[in-house]
Amino acid sequence: MPKDSLTVIDNRTGKQYELPIQDGTIHATDLRQIQVAPDDHGLLSYDPAFMNTAACRSAISFIDGDQGILRYRGYPIEQLAEKSTFLLLLHGELPSAGELDRWVYDVTHHTIIHENIKKFIDGFHHDAHPMGVFVSTVAALSTFYPEAKHIEDERSRRDQIFRLIAKTPTLAAFAHRHTVGMPYAYPDNDLSYTGNFLNMMFKATEVKYTPHPVLEKALDVLFILHADHEQNCSTSAMRGVGSAHADPYSAMAAAAAALYGPLHGGANEQVLRMLHEIGSKENIPAYIQRVKNGEVRLMGFGHRIYKNYDPRAKIIKQTADQVFDLTGKNPLIDIALELERIALQDEYFVSRKLYPNVDFYSGIIYEAMKFPIDMFPVLFAIGRTPGWLAQWQEMLLDKEQKIARPRQVYIGSPLRDYVTIEKR
Ligand code: ACO
């Protein structure tokens, strides 16, 4: 008779243990009972980089990395990209028309930032990376909303969530305008979430900026594709810092800082730099050889979870075609397609199951839309904001969660006596 349990024999002692299996997992704390002596700490699981450890139960996104499946709240990403608008994740269910109107109204009417934040942005050097400015200004928001520390209060949490989702595009656009020396363009509440962001980014001297609907829709799709991705590095940072009951602005600044890394959300920027460096199709074989020699990584390739084509990359390729119909083709797409074609036949990539990820094609679209390369990670951060906040809220409401505190295996010196400086 099959049982939902695991029988473990400790060969050090000959003792046998039965560990319950729930949802395909064993509880790591159940290993503690496996001791050699009654006073030892019991067995730990060792899992650097969390390769095989579930740290929470979550109802937000589902990934099957072998099949290349991504769903938010059960809905396939392909359907959401086609039919939905951004701003869905925080509630588990699709909103009614009235609920959606209310939600959009609430977000739209929180887009202004305090004038002092502009002064704060002004203080950054003229060539400051906008992601550095973004991380810092998100953290600084906590000083403007001290009530944010009342994370136990549902109303306060809701207010901060609105504010963060609403204000991140404003902070992002202002970071950009500062670095290019243009006056800040204020939010326009007549426009959609993405339309308003394009307005704050690109408005010049015209009285009213009108976003092109194709670009507005493309950006909305890109934001949807980036909205959540289970327990990735930045989301883990959000949950980790949030688990200490830091306010959500501080926790989100930590998440954005993690995203900035080139192995994570900074990869889209690195992909573009790589494609520019390769320059033309003839140079691809030599570049692939450098990757295989271990000199460089093929940026935008590989994923911890996807061992099949990233479903987001497929949708992005379709979006690219729509954008290029309007903007003209970004010539880098030909290099990217050829790079992908060669890589997907090459034993090095095939045997390691390395496929293009979301970042491989997103930057090519952003560039065609005239976003500067260093804004790419910031665009990723705007898209990921609802996911971070949904995960933060879920973590706070989860009775099983406590302050995040991994264990370690100590490998340092055994006990020794301090040697005074004269005797060293
Ligand atoms: N180029 C070349 N080789 C690669 C790449 C790559 N992009 N990615 C992985 N490999 C190789 C590794 O060298 C390793 O080879 P080995 O077994 O011979 O040592 C093998 O594939 C496994 O790689 P790991 O680094 O162990 O895989 P991990 O799951 O730790 O890393 C990561 C995943 C960080 C995404 C990695 O694939 C990478 O660096 N990719 C490039 C950066 C990138 O595109 N990041 C964006 C990811 S998506 C996101 O965060 C939004």
Side-chain angles (χ1 to χ4, degrees):
M1 180 67 180
K3 275 172 84 183
D4 279 339
S5 67
L6 179 76
T7 299
V8 176
I9 297 171
D10 184 349
N11 293 321
R12 299 169 303 176
T13 59
K15 281 193 200 156
Q16 181 170 313
Y17 303 84
E18 189 174 343
L19 312 181
I21 295 178
Q22 197 186 358
D23 297 327
T25 67
I26 57 161
H27 220 293
T29 50
D30 284 344
L31 298 173
R32 269 195 203 157
Q33 61 185 305
I34 303 178
Q35 296 167 302
V36 174
D39 58 350
D40 76 28
H41 295 301
L43 202 63
L44 287 177
S45 61
Y46 177 60
D47 189 10
F50 305 108
M51 299 286 288
N52 198 39
T53 295
C56 63
R57 292 168 184 280
S58 181
I60 302 170
S61 56
F62 168 82
I63 301 177
D64 183 328
D66 294 324
Q67 302 291 328
I69 291 173
L70 170 62
R71 298 179 197 138
Y72 299 155
R73 304 284 189 187
Y75 300 107
I77 190 69
E78 294 79 9
Q79 290 183 22
L80 292 170
E82 188 191 333
K83 298 181 180 149
S84 185
T85 53
F86 185 58
L87 302 179
L88 167 84
L89 276 178
L90 278 150
H91 306 286
E93 299 303 322
L94 292 176
S96 66
E99 285 165 342
L100 183 62
D101 285 349
R102 172 84 211 160
W103 169 241
V104 170
Y105 179 92
D106 283 346
V107 170
T108 306
H109 288 81
H110 283 83
T111 46
I112 290 268
I113 55 173
H114 195 290
E115 285 293 292
N116 284 352
I117 297 177
K118 276 178 21 193
K119 291 189 207 154
F120 185 78
I121 295 175
D122 284 341
F124 283 94
H125 207 49
H126 68 91
D127 58 356
H129 194 292
M131 191 63 173
V133 178
F134 181 80
V135 169
S136 314
T137 46
V138 168
L141 281 183
S142 72
T143 65
F144 291 84
Y145 305 106
E147 71 276 17
K149 63 180 178 295
H150 298 303
I151 52 146
E152 72 294 339
D153 179 51
E154 192 187 339
R155 176 82 198 273
S156 168
R157 281 201 308 271
R158 216 181 98 94
D159 287 350
Q160 314 319 319
I161 285 171
F162 280 138
R163 285 203 184 111
L164 269 162
I165 293 180
K167 292 182 200 311
T168 43
T170 316
L171 296 177
F174 281 22
H176 161 69
R177 309 272 300 198
H178 172 70
T179 55
V180 292
M182 284 181 77
Y184 302 119
Y186 279 74
D188 179 346
N189 290 352
D190 287 345
L191 299 175
S192 71
Y193 187 78
T194 43
N196 177 42
F197 176 57
L198 291 168
N199 158 62
M200 292 187 289
M201 279 292 299
F202 298 119
K203 184 171 190 283
T205 51
E206 64 271 44
V207 176
K208 188 162 176 80
Y209 177 90
T210 311
H212 195 289
V214 169
L215 302 186
E216 194 179 357
K217 172 67 186 163
L219 195 56
D220 206 55
V221 169
L222 283 157
F223 284 164
I224 291 172
L225 298 184
H226 285 90
D228 194 59
H229 216 229
E230 47 152 81
Q231 304 311 311
N232 57 83
C233 180
S234 55
T235 300
S236 302
M238 181 88 200
R239 280 180 173 260
V241 175
S243 78
H245 291 185
D247 66 81
Y249 302 98
S250 304
M252 202 179 109
L259 191 77
Y260 195 0
L263 297 188
H264 190 15
N268 52 15
E269 179 176 351
Q270 300 309 323
V271 169
L272 255 276
R273 297 197 189 286
M274 174 186 80
L275 294 175
H276 280 293
E277 185 190 333
I278 294 173
S280 73
K281 283 203 230 170
E282 306 81 76
N283 299 332
I284 292 176
Y287 198 85
I288 295 266
Q289 196 50 52
R290 287 181 65 202
V291 173
K292 286 159 58 172
N293 294 345
E295 291 168 40
V296 283
R297 283 207 158 192
L298 188 55
M299 298 312 285
F301 257 70
H303 198 274
R304 174 63 59 77
I305 307 292
Y306 291 122
K307 301 301 169 199
N308 197 325
Y309 213 96
D310 182 336
R312 301 168 300 174
K314 266 190 208 151
I315 301 170
I316 287 189
K317 271 167 100 172
Q318 294 155 9
T319 308
D321 290 337
Q322 290 150 16
V323 170
F324 295 161
D325 282 345
L326 183 75
T327 61
K329 196 166 79 169
N330 184 339
L332 294 180
I333 189 81
D334 290 333
I335 302 178
L337 288 169
E338 181 64 4
L339 202 51
E340 175 186 328
R341 192 188 65 77
I342 295 179
L344 293 187
Q345 294 173 358
D346 191 297
E347 205 279 326
Y348 177 94
F349 298 91
V350 174
S351 63
R352 290 170 178 79
K353 299 189 175 169
L354 299 171
Y355 290 88
N357 58 50
V358 69
D359 291 318
F360 192 63
Y361 288 106
S362 60
I364 299 176
I365 307 184
Y366 294 145
E367 195 178 58
M369 293 173 80
K370 304 271 179 287
F371 285 103
I373 294 181
D374 56 9
M375 275 300 283
F376 297 178
V378 185
L379 295 169
F380 194 150
I382 299 174
R384 188 53 59 87
T385 296
W388 287 330
L389 291 165
Q391 297 269 354
W392 171 73
Q393 182 167 257
E394 187 180 67
M395 182 265 308
L396 288 175
L397 297 177
D398 181 348
K399 299 255 178 309
E400 277 189 309
Q401 291 295 331
K402 291 165 176 265
I403 186 166
R405 207 309 187 178
R407 302 295 302 268
Q408 66 162 19
V409 177
Y410 177 69
I411 56 162
S413 167
L415 178 66
R416 49 185 167 166
D417 285 323
Y418 184 81
V419 181
T420 56
I421 194 124
E422 318 74 68
K423 294 197 177 149
R424 276 177 234 160

